[in-house]
Amino acid sequence: MINLLDFEPWWRFGVALLIGALLGMEREFFQQKEDAPDFAGIRTFSLVALLGAVAAFLMADFGILPIALALGGLILLTTTSYLGALLRSGKETGITTEVAVLLTFLFGVLVMGDQGKVASALAVLTALILALKGRLHDVIRRMSTEDLRVTLQFALVAGVILPLLPDRAIDPLGLLNLFQVWLMVVFVSGIGFSGYVLMKVLGPSRGINLMGLLGGLASSTATTISLSSASRENSSMSSHYARAVILASSVMVPRLMLLVLVIHPPLLRMVSIPLGAMLMTGLGIILFLQRKSTPHENTLKRSFKLAHPLKLSTAIKFGLVFAVVLIIVEFAQESFGSTGVYVASAIAGLTDVDAITLSVSRLTGNAQMNIQVAGVAIVIAALMNTIAKGSIAYFLGSKELRWTVIRAFSIIFIVGFFSGISILWAT
C-alpha cells in the first residue's frame, strides 16, 4: 500500500497544483467563450495555488510572515490588474476572477495544513459556482419578491434557529431535545420549500412528483403535511398532490427495509412480505391514478399559480406533536415489556417510523428482543403511520386530495394488515 508520508511534502504540492489547474481551466474556458480579457488562466491559477502551498510550508521556519507577504503581494497584483482592466475598458467589470485567485491561494495554504480534503471539496464547489454563472444569474433574474422572502425565511428556520438550539435533553427526565424537535420543523418547512423550488424549475406536475419521491426518502409524514396544506391553496392541482402523497408513503417502505437490512439482516425476512405488499399496492395505485388523469389537467397546470410553501404554523404544530409523542414513547418502553414495545411502536408510528425501526432492529441484533416481536413492532409502526398520514390528508387537504388519499391508504392498510397476520401465523 502506498503511504503518502513517504512523499511528503511533494504530494501536497501536487494537490495544490491540481486544485489551481481545475479553477484555472474553468476561468480560461470562460474567458475564451466570453471573449473576456485574459487576466488569469490555468497556468496562473496553478502557480497561485503553489504559492499558497510554499508559503504555508515556510511557516515552520519563519512563522506567519511568508503567508502575510505572499498574500499581500497577491492582493496588490490582482488590484493592479483589475484597475488596469477597468481603465482600458472604460466600464465597470466584475471581480469574480480576482476573488477566485485569492481563494486559490488559500486552498494551497489549506493543503499544506493537513486540510487537503477540505481544500479539494471547496475547490470543486468554487469551480461549480463559477461554471454555473449563466444559470445562477438567470435564476436570480426570474426571482420575485416572494421568492426572496421564502428563501430568507427558510434560511432563518434552518440556518439560524436550528444551530442555536441545544442538542441535548433539557428536562429532568432526559426526554425533550429541542434540537430534535426543531429539526422536524425544518423537515416540514424544508420539504415545502424544496417543492416550491422544484415546481418553479421543472413545472408543477414534474416538480410535485419529484417532491413526493424525495420527500418520501426524508419524511413521508412531513411531506404529507406540506402537500396536503398546499392542496387547499391550489385545489386545481389536488390530483397531482394526492399522487405525490401516495408516492412519498410508498417510498417510505424501501427506506425502512434498507434500515433493517443494514442494522440486522435476519429481521428483513420477517418484515419483507408485509412491507413489500404495501409497497407494491402503493405503486399500483399510483399507476392507476396516473392513467386516470385527464387532458383537462394540462390546462390546469398552465393556469397554476404557486402559493407560499413555508407554512411555519403547520410545521411548528407538527414539531410540538412530535415532542409529545417522543415523551409518551419513552414512558411506554420503560413501563411495559413486549406490550410496551407494541404500544410504543403504535404511538411512534403516528409521527415517524425510522426511530422505532432503528431501535427494535438494534435490540434484536443485540439479542435483547425477540425477532418476531421486532417484526410485529415495525409493521405496527408502518400501519399506524399510514393511518396518521390519512388523518393528516383528511384534516389538512382539499376535498379531492382527501378522498383520493384516504381510499388509497385504506387499501394499503388492509393489504399490510392481512399480510402481516399471515407472517405471524407462519412463525
Side-chain angles (χ1 to χ4, degrees), residues 8 15 23 36 53 84 88 90 123 126 128 166 171 221 232 254 286 299 316 368 377 380 404:
E8 289 282 5
V15 171
L23 293 169
R88 286 193 301 270
T126 302
L128 184 62
D171 60 305
T221 306
R232 282 185 177 271
I286 293 170
T299 304
I316 291 172
Q368 295 176 286
I380 288 175
T404 301

Side-chain angles (χ1 to χ4, degrees), residues 243-295:
R243 288 199 298 268
V245 167
I246 300 168
L247 177 60
S249 186
S250 300
V251 171
M252 173 198 74
V253 174
R255 190 186 75 221
L256 293 180
M257 297 174 74
L258 179 61
L259 289 176
V260 174
L261 178 64
V262 171
I263 303 301
H264 188 55
L267 181 58
L268 183 62
R269 292 196 297 269
M270 176 70 63
V271 300
S272 59
I273 292 181
L275 293 183
M278 294 174 70
L279 172 62
M280 297 308 296
T281 303
L283 294 179
I285 292 173
I286 293 170
L287 290 175
F288 174 75
L289 293 174
Q290 188 74 37
R291 291 184 177 181
K292 276 186 63 180
S293 60
T294 63

Side-chain angles (χ1 to χ4, degrees), residues 289-340:
L289 293 174
Q290 188 74 37
R291 291 184 177 181
K292 276 186 63 180
S293 60
T294 63
H296 180 56
E297 289 182 354
N298 293 325
T299 304
L300 294 176
K301 283 186 284 184
R302 285 194 293 269
S303 62
F304 173 75
K305 292 183 179 179
L306 283 173
H308 194 303
L310 214 57
K311 301 294 182 182
L312 281 183
S313 59
T314 303
I316 291 172
K317 288 176 184 176
F318 177 75
L320 293 174
V321 172
F322 177 76
V324 172
V325 169
L326 282 180
I327 295 173
I328 295 174
V329 168
E330 291 287 345
F331 277 120
Q333 289 177 321
E334 290 289 334
S335 302
F336 306 98
S338 60
T339 303

Side-chain angles (χ1 to χ4, degrees), residues 32-33 70 111 120 123 133 143 146 193 199 317 323 358 384:
Q32 292 175 356
K33 187 175 180 181
V111 170
S120 299
K133 173 189 175 182
M143 281 186 70
E146 178 72 3
F193 176 72
M199 284 183 278
K317 288 176 184 176
L358 288 170
M384 291 301 296

Side-chain angles (χ1 to χ4, degrees), residues 106-400:
L106 296 176
F107 294 155
V109 173
L110 284 174
V111 170
M112 296 304 295
D114 290 329
Q115 297 295 333
K117 292 180 180 179
V118 174
S120 299
L122 290 176
V124 172
L125 290 174
T126 302
L128 184 62
I129 292 172
L130 294 172
L132 293 177
K133 173 189 175 182
R135 293 190 180 183
L136 291 175
H137 284 302
D138 183 57
V139 169
I140 297 301
R141 281 193 294 266
R142 290 190 296 164
M143 281 186 70
S144 63
T145 304
E146 178 72 3
D147 296 336
L148 179 61
R149 187 167 70 88
V150 167
T151 303
L152 294 176
Q153 190 172 346
F154 178 68
L156 175 67
V157 171
V160 178
I161 299 177
L162 183 64
L164 292 177
L165 296 175
D167 189 9
R168 63 179 185 275
I170 61 170
D171 60 305
L173 298 178
L175 302 178
L176 190 60
N177 186 316
L178 289 180
F179 183 88
Q180 296 297 328
V181 173
W182 193 258
L183 186 61
M184 292 308 300
V185 176
V186 174
F187 261 138
V188 176
S189 56
I191 289 171
F193 176 72
S194 62
Y196 183 79
V197 174
L198 288 171
M199 284 183 278
K200 292 279 285 188
V201 175
L202 302 176
S205 179
R206 286 188 296 172
I208 292 172
N209 289 336
L210 185 57
M211 182 183 177
L213 178 63
L214 298 178
L217 294 175
S219 171
S220 59
T221 306
T223 304
T224 303
I225 293 174
S226 295
L227 293 176
S228 298
S229 299
S231 70
R232 282 185 177 271
E233 303 289 338
N234 303 288
S235 58
S236 63
M237 296 296 292
S238 291
S239 60
H240 293 283
Y241 284 122
R243 288 199 298 268
V245 167
I246 300 168
L247 177 60
S249 186
S250 300
V251 171
M252 173 198 74
V253 174
R255 190 186 75 221
L256 293 180
M257 297 174 74
L258 179 61
L259 289 176
V260 174
L261 178 64
V262 171
I263 303 301
H264 188 55
L267 181 58
L268 183 62
R269 292 196 297 269
M270 176 70 63
V271 300
S272 59
I273 292 181
L275 293 183
M278 294 174 70
L279 172 62
M280 297 308 296
T281 303
L283 294 179
I285 292 173
I286 293 170
L287 290 175
F288 174 75
L289 293 174
Q290 188 74 37
R291 291 184 177 181
K292 276 186 63 180
S293 60
T294 63
H296 180 56
E297 289 182 354
N298 293 325
T299 304
L300 294 176
K301 283 186 284 184
R302 285 194 293 269
S303 62
F304 173 75
K305 292 183 179 179
L306 283 173
H308 194 303
L310 214 57
K311 301 294 182 182
L312 281 183
S313 59
T314 303
I316 291 172
K317 288 176 184 176
F318 177 75
L320 293 174
V321 172
F322 177 76
V324 172
V325 169
L326 282 180
I327 295 173
I328 295 174
V329 168
E330 291 287 345
F331 277 120
Q333 289 177 321
E334 290 289 334
S335 302
F336 306 98
S338 60
T339 303
V341 175
Y342 297 150
V343 172
S345 299
I347 297 173
L350 295 174
T351 57
D352 179 70
V353 189
D354 291 349
I356 194 69
T357 299
L358 288 170
S359 298
V360 299
S361 297
R362 286 199 180 100
L363 289 173
T364 306
N366 296 332
Q368 295 176 286
M369 182 181 293
N370 180 277
I371 192 170
Q372 183 174 344
V373 173
V376 173
I378 292 173
V379 174
I380 288 175
L383 293 175
M384 291 301 296
N385 192 251
T386 302
I387 293 176
K389 287 179 291 193
S391 301
I392 290 169
Y394 180 83
F395 288 108
L396 297 183
S398 64
K399 183 177 180 181
E400 182 180 353

